[in-house]
Amino acid sequence: MADNSKDTTHFGFQTVAKDEKAGKVADVFHSVAAKYDLMNDLMSMGIHRVWKRFTIDCSGVRRGQRVLDLAGGTGDLTAKFSRLVGETGEVVLADINSSMLKMGREKLRNLGIAGNVSYVQANAEALPFPDNYFDCITISFGLRNVTDKDKALASMFRVLKPGGRLLVLEFSKPLLAPLSKVYDAYSFHILPRIGQLVANDAESYRYLAESIRMHPDQETLKQMMEDVGFENSTYYNLTGGIVALHRGYKF
């Protein structure tokens, strides 16, 4: 019997053809884009802002540098990086989803952020940038939605300058069993209800919860980064491991 596992991947808890996943993920984010910031605050009780601030603090980004905020969505990290790199630097907000990119552009322009930020619709697996281009790349709550994570990590490695660093902020595996049980109850019962009430979309938030469970754990992701060439890879568990920040360098 033929092994079709190489042609399939997961979409939440479903098994789908690899060439179908990107479209299904796109549908989710087209649906949630308009309420994305509000839902982030509700889902995390505002703690996502602390996680993102920690990511910025760990980035080492300085004036005049070039930063890629990949899967940057509505631009929370881009807004901070824009101030850090100043007029002589550059921040690229990239997202595969046109609806999310539109929301990010509108939000940042309303905040008066324009001069050093550009917007690119891009697939993380085949980034449309030259080799050795960025000083820093961040991908925040986006890697778990990528079909081929190894290919995406290799693409990020390619476009980083020597000495550059990648930061992956993503949901991960809680460290304590009691926390896992509470987190599961919240994710699979409460989160879809919030999604239904606020965004009129329980299914998309059910997928987001499932996608978190299918994402590699802390040690697995660290090894995946090292396998494509990143060195000195480390991770920091945040909020008991519900979220982890991975950091790796290109030398």
Side-chain angles (χ1 to χ4, degrees), residues 51 141-144 168-176 179-180 183-184 187-188 208-222 224 234-246:
W51 299 332
F141 304 114
L143 185 60
R144 72 181 190 279
V168 181
L169 181 65
E170 188 55 89
F171 291 105
S172 200
K173 185 175 177 60
L175 303 177
L176 301 174
L179 180 59
S180 286
Y183 185 43
D184 279 346
S187 299
F188 293 110
L208 293 175
E210 292 176 0
S211 71
I212 291 167
R213 296 310 182 278
M214 300 302 291
H215 187 66
D217 65 18
Q218 289 91 324
E219 282 293 329
T220 303
L221 180 54
K222 178 174 180 273
M224 290 167 66
T234 56
Y235 61 84
Y236 305 89
N237 286 307
L238 309 176
T239 316
I242 287 175
V243 164
L245 176 66
H246 284 68

Side-chain angles (χ1 to χ4, degrees), residues 11-76:
F11 174 74
F13 291 162
Q14 300 175 45
T15 298
V16 300
K18 279 188 175 179
D19 58 5
E20 292 179 4
K21 179 170 178 175
K24 288 180 175 291
V25 171
D27 289 342
V28 168
F29 283 92
H30 285 312
S31 176
V32 304
K35 300 282 187 178
Y36 188 77
D37 285 341
L38 173 60
M39 283 297 296
N40 272 353
D41 280 329
L42 291 173
M43 288 188 300
S44 71
M45 292 168 281
I47 300 173
H48 75 99
R49 298 175 185 273
V50 178
W51 299 332
K52 290 171 180 173
R53 169 49 65 186
F54 183 71
T55 302
I56 297 286
D57 290 345
C58 289
S59 72
V61 166
R62 303 187 306 278
R63 193 167 187 82
Q65 291 190 324
R66 186 180 283 138
V67 179
L68 173 61
D69 182 11
L70 185 57
T74 56
D76 285 347

Side-chain angles (χ1 to χ4, degrees), residues 35-248:
K35 300 282 187 178
Y36 188 77
D37 285 341
L38 173 60
M39 283 297 296
N40 272 353
D41 280 329
L42 291 173
M43 288 188 300
S44 71
M45 292 168 281
I47 300 173
H48 75 99
R49 298 175 185 273
V50 178
W51 299 332
K52 290 171 180 173
R53 169 49 65 186
F54 183 71
T55 302
I56 297 286
D57 290 345
C58 289
S59 72
V61 166
R62 303 187 306 278
R63 193 167 187 82
Q65 291 190 324
R66 186 180 283 138
V67 179
L68 173 61
D69 182 11
L70 185 57
T74 56
D76 285 347
L77 293 180
T78 293
K80 300 288 195 305
F81 283 133
S82 173
R83 297 184 183 98
L84 285 175
V85 303
E87 293 178 2
T88 59
E90 178 190 0
V91 185
V92 177
L93 171 55
D95 203 292
I96 195 172
N97 187 277
S98 59
S99 297
M100 294 294 288
L101 205 58
K102 180 183 176 185
M103 294 300 297
R105 186 187 295 113
E106 289 177 359
K107 174 179 163 183
L108 295 183
R109 287 180 176 171
N110 287 340
L111 291 172
I113 297 170
N116 61 1
V117 175
S118 56
Y119 303 87
V120 176
Q121 188 170 354
N123 185 335
E125 297 175 25
L127 292 170
F129 306 108
D131 294 357
N132 309 317
Y133 191 71
F134 293 100
D135 296 286
C136 180
I137 297 175
T138 58
I139 180 166
S140 172
F141 304 114
L143 185 60
R144 72 181 190 279
N145 297 308
V146 174
T147 303
D148 190 330
K149 296 174 181 62
D150 296 311
K151 193 173 179 181
L153 289 168
S155 185
M156 294 176 220
F157 185 83
R158 178 186 65 77
V159 302
L160 267 178
K161 292 179 181 178
R165 56 223 167 271
L166 168 68
L167 293 106
V168 181
L169 181 65
E170 188 55 89
F171 291 105
S172 200
K173 185 175 177 60
L175 303 177
L176 301 174
L179 180 59
S180 286
K181 290 180 180 178
V182 172
Y183 185 43
D184 279 346
Y186 171 77
S187 299
F188 293 110
H189 299 290
I190 298 174
L191 178 56
R193 291 180 185 175
I194 296 174
Q196 183 61 42
L197 287 169
V198 177
N200 195 30
D201 187 353
E203 282 303 310
S204 289
Y205 287 93
R206 188 169 290 110
Y207 158 73
L208 293 175
E210 292 176 0
S211 71
I212 291 167
R213 296 310 182 278
M214 300 302 291
H215 187 66
D217 65 18
Q218 289 91 324
E219 282 293 329
T220 303
L221 180 54
K222 178 174 180 273
Q223 187 60 55
M224 290 167 66
M225 290 171 63
E226 291 174 352
D227 287 346
V228 301
F230 286 101
E231 298 181 44
N232 291 359
S233 297
T234 56
Y235 61 84
Y236 305 89
N237 286 307
L238 309 176
T239 316
I242 287 175
V243 164
L245 176 66
H246 284 68
R247 180 170 60 182

